[in-house]
Amino acid sequence: MKPALFSLFVLVMITTLGIAQDFQEFDQGVAKFRAKDYEAVIESFSQILSNPSHNKKLDEDLYFYRGQSYYHKDEYQKSLDDLEQSILLKHYNLGVIHWYKARCYDGLGKKSEAESNYKQALSYAEKNKKVRAQILADRANFHAKHGDKQAADEDLALAKSLDPSNKEIAGTTVNASKVKPTANVPSRNTGEEKKNTQVIVKNNSSQTKKQETPAASAPQNQSTAVQQVNTGLVPALATAYKDEKRYALVIGNSNYNKDIGILKNPVNDATDVATELRKSDFEVQLVTNCTYVQLREAMRKFHEKLTNGPKDQTVGLFYYAGHGVAYQDENYLVPIDADVKFEDDILRMCFPVQRMVLANMERSNTRMNIVILDACRNNPFPATTRSVSSGLGEMKRARGSFIAYATSPGSVASDGSGRNGLYTQELLKALRKPNLTIEQVFKDVRMNVLRLSGDKQYTWDSSNIIGEFYFKLQ
């Protein structure tokens, strides 16, 4: 290899490894945030941000989490600076951002700014009753602390009416001397609420101090605890979702030609996922070993179902297992008849996820679009290596979408040695657990895949969904 080409190859490899490391450190940082290790979050995310070659796609989330961590360390101005930066980067969770800004301004003694940000937070959270209820309960504390008992009572009453199932809010009372609201902050990737309740008590010196209850359980017991907590929500949720229509398109491609490489698990994966989804009231269209034309026709039928479903009462789910490639800022699914000799053959013979799958799901009557990609395997076209990436790339979020990957962007996962690949094996187990939100399902998958792979495979998901979704209620 010529020196110039070797140097370029080394540079590309270093860059790729650096990006993968950024994603891994980000995942670890979010886990530390969940564990309330805010000092570690600040240190880790500051190191990533200080690296000029870090993956800039992470910035909006890095500032989002570090800003919240600064708040919990009582560094209010630093928190405000980071939260403002996440707004400039167009972070989607403006409700939580302005909620934290309100708390920071209150901590700095700037009452009018705090009031303004509470109003903005409530406005952005208008369609999410649970988050809106939490903000109102927190603002009730703010009003009581500043002596406005009537406003505090009004906020708390509205919070209870918006989320009567929230036991913390239901048991809250406010008065001039002691206030106990919930302040559970939704997390970024899982959408999960903080398990520990923050209690703010006003003492005789008119200063506030933050107290936190101990963690409810050890990590290995979290799924059981969540199921127990959520059991009380089941009757109300079952009523709310009784008219919901669920449609799924499930695809598994295994029988590729010898140049691409046969895969052992995808057909099994798709078949088993289809069976499990039917148990969760999905109408499933299952397609295995499909050509480009068959894949396109299946997508057309799927889009037709989603378009004719009831407005805002339809959920679409797309699952794919098989070969996939990232090329020119797009992820492509590889049909079994793809004959790729040159890079531009990918555009003609492979199926684009962002432009054809997500875009068509977005242009329908769905309230939520779920895309699950177990296609993060090695590049199936070794002759076209110049612009084809290993694994899949992170996609832009579509409206109301939850996108799940078998491993982090730019990384690869093995096909597996049993009936199912590791990712789908753990996905099937999680789908069988009742009363878990979609975020809790994929958090469960992530935890188990990471453990069983010896910390080598990090699953990844990206979400901007509004409202709740449960695969199975019991």
Side-chain angles (χ1 to χ4, degrees):
M1 184 180 291
K2 295 181 178 180
L5 290 176
F6 180 75
S7 299
L8 179 60
F9 172 77
V10 171
L11 178 61
V12 170
M13 287 299 297
I14 291 173
T15 302
T16 301
L17 290 172
I19 290 173
Q21 184 177 357
D22 287 344
F23 280 114
Q24 291 179 6
E25 290 179 358
F26 175 75
D27 273 351
Q28 292 167 356
V30 172
K32 291 174 184 176
F33 182 85
R34 305 271 188 272
K36 298 179 176 292
D37 190 354
Y38 302 119
E39 192 70 47
V41 175
I42 293 169
E43 180 181 355
S44 175
F45 286 3
S46 296
Q47 287 179 356
I48 296 175
L49 286 165
S50 65
N51 181 0
S53 61
H54 78 274
N55 190 332
K56 304 302 189 295
K57 290 182 179 180
L58 292 172
D59 281 3
E60 60 178 287
D61 283 329
L62 292 170
Y63 285 113
F64 178 78
Y65 279 115
R66 192 178 71 171
Q68 294 176 70
S69 298
Y70 275 132
Y71 164 79
H72 288 292
K73 300 297 291 182
D74 296 329
E75 297 186 59
Y76 301 125
Q77 190 55 57
K78 289 183 178 180
S79 176
L80 286 169
D81 292 342
D82 273 5
L83 294 171
E84 283 293 339
Q85 192 65 32
S86 67
I87 292 175
L88 291 174
L89 293 168
K90 303 187 184 302
H91 196 283
Y92 81 99
N93 206 337
L94 293 173
V96 169
I97 291 173
H98 283 285
W99 182 6
Y100 264 94
K101 287 184 64 179
R103 291 167 148 191
C104 288
Y105 281 122
D106 186 35
L108 292 170
K110 298 182 178 182
K111 181 182 176 184
S112 61
E113 288 89 343
E115 289 175 333
S116 174
N117 276 277
Y118 271 121
K119 288 180 181 178
Q120 291 183 72
L122 289 167
S123 176
Y124 284 116
E126 184 176 5
K127 294 182 179 180
N128 191 325
K129 290 184 178 180
K130 290 183 179 293
V131 174
R132 187 173 172 84
Q134 292 162 16
I135 298 172
L136 284 165
D138 189 48
R139 194 174 69 170
N141 167 73
F142 169 79
H143 286 315
K145 190 181 78 170
H146 290 284
D148 193 341
K149 177 70 162 56
Q150 180 179 348
D153 287 339
E154 289 174 355
D155 272 359
L156 190 56
L158 182 54
K160 291 179 178 180
S161 69
L162 286 173
D163 190 6
S165 63
N166 189 318
K167 295 179 181 179
E168 298 288 348
I169 294 177
T172 297
T173 58
V174 294
N175 54 55
S177 61
K178 190 174 183 179
V179 184
K180 296 175 67 177
T182 53
N184 292 336
V185 182
S187 61
R188 166 73 177 116
N189 277 338
T190 65
E192 182 189 33
E193 296 169 359
K194 286 166 58 181
K195 301 294 188 302
N196 299 340
T197 301
Q198 185 180 53
V199 179
I200 302 179
V201 181
K202 185 177 180 183
N203 58 30
N204 293 331
S205 64
S206 76
Q207 295 177 340
T208 62
K209 65 178 182 178
K210 292 181 285 188
Q211 303 172 340
E212 293 183 344
T213 61
S217 61
Q220 59 266 32
N221 295 326
Q222 285 180 353
S223 294
T224 302
V226 168
Q227 291 181 52
Q228 292 173 344
V229 171
N230 287 351
T231 300
L233 304 179
V234 172
L237 289 168
T239 300
Y241 297 152
K242 65 183 178 65
D243 296 324
E244 184 174 75
K245 298 296 183 183
R246 299 179 170 192
Y247 300 105
L249 172 56
V250 178
I251 297 172
N253 281 348
S254 292
N255 292 341
Y256 294 97
N257 63 50
K258 63 180 181 180
D259 292 332
I260 295 178
I262 295 175
L263 297 174
K264 176 183 176 182
N265 299 120
V267 168
N268 293 337
D269 291 339
T271 302
D272 294 347
V273 166
T275 298
E276 206 57 49
L277 290 176
R278 290 188 180 106
K279 295 177 183 178
S280 294
D281 298 324
F282 277 89
E283 180 182 317
V284 180
Q285 179 186 1
L286 173 63
V287 184
T288 59
N289 292 323
C290 58
T291 64
Y292 181 93
V293 172
Q294 290 170 332
L295 201 161
R296 191 178 182 90
E297 177 61 15
M299 190 67 217
R300 185 193 66 77
K301 292 179 180 178
F302 181 51
H303 179 244
E304 190 175 86
K305 290 280 188 183
L306 301 184
T307 301
N308 293 329
K311 181 71 173 176
D312 296 327
Q313 288 185 302
T314 299
V315 172
L317 185 149
F318 179 90
Y319 171 92
Y320 175 83
H323 275 305
V325 294
Y327 177 66
Q328 293 186 347
D329 296 323
E330 173 65 282
N331 290 318
Y332 290 87
L333 311 179
V334 182
I336 63 168
D337 62 342
D339 184 20
V340 175
K341 303 298 184 187
F342 304 98
E343 288 181 6
D344 59 357
D345 289 337
I346 295 173
L347 303 175
R348 298 182 297 106
M349 299 183 182
C350 298
F351 201 79
V353 180
Q354 186 85 37
R355 290 186 287 112
M356 294 298 292
V357 178
L358 267 176
N360 278 317
M361 293 176 77
E362 190 177 16
R363 291 192 294 268
S364 68
N365 283 340
T366 54
R367 75 172 181 91
M368 187 177 296
N369 301 308
I370 304 165
V371 176
I372 306 171
L373 300 174
D374 192 356
C376 307
R377 297 171 171 85
N378 289 322
N379 175 16
F381 311 125
T384 59
T385 57
R386 187 178 59 185
S387 303
V388 179
S389 303
S390 295
L392 299 181
E394 186 174 16
M395 295 183 290
K396 297 177 182 177
R397 300 181 197 85
R399 171 186 58 82
S401 64
F402 188 99
I403 308 170
Y405 307 83
T407 190
S408 56
S411 301
V412 297
S414 63
D415 190 32
S417 57
R419 173 177 172 80
N420 301 115
L422 176 58
Y423 178 75
T424 294
Q425 167 191 301
E426 296 308 310
L427 173 62
L428 290 167
K429 293 177 184 177
L431 290 175
R432 295 176 187 127
K433 296 179 180 179
N435 308 332
L436 298 184
T437 65
I438 185 172
E439 294 90 352
Q440 290 162 350
V441 165
F442 284 94
K443 181 179 180 182
D444 194 65
V445 174
R446 180 179 300 115
M447 177 178 65
N448 289 322
V449 169
L450 187 61
R451 174 176 56 85
L452 293 171
S453 67
D455 290 347
K456 293 179 181 179
Q457 184 172 337
Y458 289 76
T459 71
W460 188 263
D461 49 68
S462 176
S463 168
N464 69 350
I465 60 175
I466 296 173
E468 302 291 351
F469 180 80
Y470 294 78
F471 285 96
K472 189 184 296 294
L473 291 170
Q474 182 174 304

